[in-house]
Amino acid sequence: MEEAENVSAKSPQDGPGNPAAPDSGIAGKAAAGLPAPTNTRNTGPGRLLIAVYAIFAISATARAGYQILTKFNEAPLAYLLSAFAAVVYVVATVSLAKPGRTAFKVSVVAVLVELVGVLVVGALSVFDSVNFPHETVWSLFGRGYGFVPLLLPILGLIWLYRRRPSSQQA
């Protein structure tokens, strides 16, 4: 019992960075009567996830832009799918970083679209290589990117499930 009192007591050395301080962190804000943050998706591992999505958004946009501007007539379907993938990555990046229930829903849709895209385009590029003479971000399940495009939406959906808004939030 004495240990519990020592942990909850605030010493003069406690500052905003000290976990024992009541005004630090989510619990401290709730204890102080402030509303708890509504977005915990962009904290901890979520920041890394958002960073990877941002890298893919930039690289897919650059790749699609280059392909469409320089050699669109060689593989229009593949290059348009690259552009679509770029848009999906941009939407996922922005919505993962934004707080709120609407941004959460947009994130779920974007990541699900990404997963379906990787699976469908990956399968089509294996079984119908005539229509995919050039690779896209999602071709061969993201082989050109170390299969990260296949793993990223799975990890994204797991993260979103674990960080879904509670039913009490507006």
Side-chain angles (χ1 to χ4, degrees):
M1 181 74 163
E2 190 173 307
E3 284 181 55
E5 291 174 2
N6 288 337
V7 170
S8 64
K10 184 177 178 186
S11 71
Q13 289 86 15
D14 288 341
N18 188 332
D23 61 335
S24 66
I26 295 170
K29 289 181 181 176
L34 298 173
T38 58
N39 183 18
T40 60
R41 292 186 311 276
N42 63 5
T43 60
R47 287 184 182 180
L48 177 61
L49 186 70
I50 293 167
V52 173
Y53 267 103
I55 290 167
F56 270 81
I58 293 167
S59 66
T61 302
R63 179 180 185 159
Y66 173 78
Q67 290 171 330
I68 289 171
L69 290 174
T70 61
K71 47 190 175 180
F72 181 73
N73 58 349
E74 293 176 20
L77 178 61
Y79 299 152
L80 288 173
L81 285 171
S82 283
F84 178 71
V87 170
V88 170
Y89 285 124
V90 168
V91 170
T93 302
V94 172
S95 63
L96 281 166
K98 290 183 79 169
R101 207 177 257 296
T102 302
F104 173 80
K105 290 176 184 178
V106 171
S107 296
V108 170
V109 170
V111 175
L112 281 172
V113 167
E114 175 195 5
L115 179 60
V116 170
V118 171
L119 294 175
V120 170
V121 172
L124 287 174
S125 63
V126 169
F127 298 115
D128 186 18
S129 58
V130 173
N131 284 321
F132 293 91
H134 296 247
E135 286 196 10
T136 70
V137 176
W138 294 339
S139 293
L140 303 171
F141 305 101
R143 182 181 74 176
Y145 289 87
F147 298 102
V148 174
L150 180 61
L151 296 174
L152 193 59
I154 295 167
L155 295 174
L157 289 171
I158 291 169
W159 180 253
L160 286 167
Y161 178 77
R162 295 182 72 201
R163 298 296 180 168
R164 63 192 181 278
S166 67
S167 59
Q168 296 171 348
Q169 291 178 349

